[in-house]
Every structure is written in C-alpha cells, then in structure tokens.
C-alpha cells in the first residue's frame, strides 16, 4: 500500500468519526432542547400551510367564520410549565434530603392556591 492510499484511508476514517460525533451531538441537542415535544404538540409548517389552504375553501362554501390560527404560545406555556415542574420536583427532593420536605410541600401548595 502506498503512503497516499494510507493517508486517504486515515482521512476517510477520521471524517467518518467526525460525522458520527456530529450526529450524536445533534441527537443529544434534539432531546435536551425538547424539540421532539414541540414536534409532537405542534404540527409542522408544511402541515399548517396545507391546512390553511384547504380550510378557507371549505369554510367559504359552508358559510362559517374563519377561526384564528393557534399561535405557539400554547407550546411555550407547556414548555415553561414542564420546566417549572421539573424545578419543583428537584427542589422537593433537595428539601426532603434536608428533612424540610413537608414544609416545602405545604408552602408550595399555599403558593399555588
């Protein structure tokens, strides 16, 4: 094997490992940033544009009023609600460890009322 072929083989191997690492980072970011939850809750922009084109034609024929499109505020509400819930669970676990779990639970119940 010549040195050029060996260098080419090493280069291809290095590029393959870089590609795998980039894919792993992308998958990790996808799950940690909760994009999977957004995709599950909200339809994709292509689906929204298709449904927006179809709905006015159907509604004009039926004579119904056009409903406003749902904004992403619903998603953001659930996103922040989930983050707050996770924070509350972590704080509850910390206070249980410090033996103030019941005090934290009662105080948080009074706060949420």
């Amino acid at each position: 094997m010549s040195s050029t072929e060996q260098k080419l083989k090493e280069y291809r191997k290095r590029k393959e490992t870089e590609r795998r690492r980039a894919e792993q980072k992308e998958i990790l970011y996808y799950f940690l940033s909760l994009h999977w939850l957004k995709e599950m809750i909200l339809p994709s922009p292509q689906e929204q544009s298709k449904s927006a084109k179809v709905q006015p034609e159907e509604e004009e024929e039926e004579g119904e009023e056009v409903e406003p499109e749902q904004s992403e505020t619903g998603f953001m509400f659930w996103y922040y609600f989930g983050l707050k819930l996770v924070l509350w669970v972590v704080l509850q676990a910390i206070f249980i460890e410090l033996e103030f779990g019941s005090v934290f639970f009662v105080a948080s119940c009074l706060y949420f009322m």
Side-chain angles (χ1 to χ4, degrees):
M1 207 188 269
S2 68
S3 64
T4 307
E5 289 176 355
Q6 186 178 10
K7 288 180 182 179
L8 182 61
K9 190 175 183 179
E10 291 172 4
Y11 174 78
R12 288 179 179 164
K13 185 177 180 181
R14 187 175 62 241
K15 285 297 182 180
E16 181 66 26
T17 56
E18 288 176 6
R19 186 187 61 79
R20 286 184 190 155
R21 286 182 185 159
E23 286 178 359
Q24 290 173 350
K25 287 179 183 178
E26 186 176 323
I27 290 171
L28 183 64
Y29 176 77
Y30 177 77
F31 283 109
L32 291 179
S33 64
L34 299 177
H35 281 292
W36 58 273
L37 183 61
K38 181 179 179 182
E39 291 174 358
M40 189 171 62
I41 294 174
L42 297 176
S44 67
Q46 292 87 11
E47 292 175 7
Q48 287 179 348
S49 64
K50 288 178 184 177
S51 65
K53 291 177 183 176
V54 173
Q55 286 178 354
E57 294 172 0
E58 293 175 356
E59 291 177 356
E60 287 175 4
E61 292 174 3
E62 298 172 4
E64 296 177 4
E65 294 182 14
V66 178
E67 295 180 15
E69 292 185 25
Q70 182 182 5
S71 64
E72 290 192 24
T73 55
F75 165 73
M76 294 306 291
F77 170 77
W78 288 108
Y79 180 77
Y80 288 122
F81 179 75
L83 289 177
K84 289 177 186 179
L85 184 66
V86 168
L87 176 64
W88 183 83
V89 169
V90 168
L91 287 174
Q92 180 68 34
I94 290 171
F95 278 98
I96 287 173
E97 195 67 31
L98 296 173
E99 298 181 3
F100 280 101
S102 60
V103 174
F104 180 75
F105 182 77
V106 170
S108 60
C109 285
L110 292 174
Y111 175 75
F112 288 121
M113 287 180 142

